[in-house]
Amino acid sequence: MKEEMKILLLVLVCTTAVITSNAQNKLSALLELGGPGILSINAEYAVFQKENYQVNLRAGFGYVPSSIAESISIPVGGNFVYRLKNRHHIEAGMVVAYTEGFPRVTSYIGENVTFEGSALYVSPSIGYRYEP
């Protein structure tokens, strides 16, 4: 459990995103490193916008390379973005990711058994967003 918490903390700290958006800032494309997949591409749509905040829905596709534990994921979720200054924002959100192929270890009659399959994972996020 302690090792899992270290990995989760590392993923939360190392999550970065590159964001491009259209002129109305309603639809954005994100290339994300960290989060629900080690590498993921997402689309984010602003469903509600006010002067200092917005609420977004997002969906995408994630991939974890075979050197770590080859798997794919489909993250779906939302976030709340609050503007601090012109380009500086605070973001908090939640994603549920369907994951296929990620190896898991479980205990069965006193022995550890490794298997691959599908699962749902919840991935909360909080962080800083800079939008040029």
Side-chain angles (χ1 to χ4, degrees):
M1 183 67 173
K2 198 173 191 180
E3 185 68 27
E4 292 167 346
M5 291 303 293
K6 287 180 185 177
I7 292 171
L8 176 62
L9 183 59
L10 179 65
V11 167
L12 290 174
V13 169
C14 294
T15 299
T16 59
V18 176
I19 302 169
T20 60
S21 60
N22 68 4
Q24 291 84 17
N25 287 331
K26 286 280 194 183
L27 184 63
S28 302
L30 294 86
L31 178 61
E32 191 172 44
L33 180 61
I38 296 298
L39 178 62
S40 63
I41 187 162
N42 302 284
E44 184 175 86
Y45 182 76
V47 292
F48 184 78
Q49 284 183 298
K50 284 288 187 184
E51 189 174 317
N52 288 332
Y53 63 91
Q54 69 185 38
V55 177
N56 304 314
L57 294 178
R58 64 189 295 183
F61 177 80
Y63 176 73
V64 177
S66 59
S67 61
I68 298 172
E70 189 170 32
S71 69
I72 59 169
S73 64
I74 301 171
V76 177
N79 61 13
F80 176 82
V81 180
Y82 181 77
R83 184 182 335 166
L84 298 171
K85 293 187 179 180
N86 286 343
R87 297 180 174 145
H88 306 278
H89 304 76
I90 295 292
E91 174 182 343
M94 181 79 63
V95 173
V96 175
Y98 171 79
T99 304
E100 183 71 40
F102 196 77
R104 294 185 305 283
V105 177
T106 188
S107 181
Y108 178 73
I109 310 176
E111 292 186 33
N112 287 339
V113 178
T114 302
F115 63 96
E116 292 183 11
S118 60
L120 286 176
Y121 292 98
V122 176
S123 179
S125 66
I126 187 165
Y128 167 80
R129 179 186 282 202
Y130 176 80
E131 293 183 359

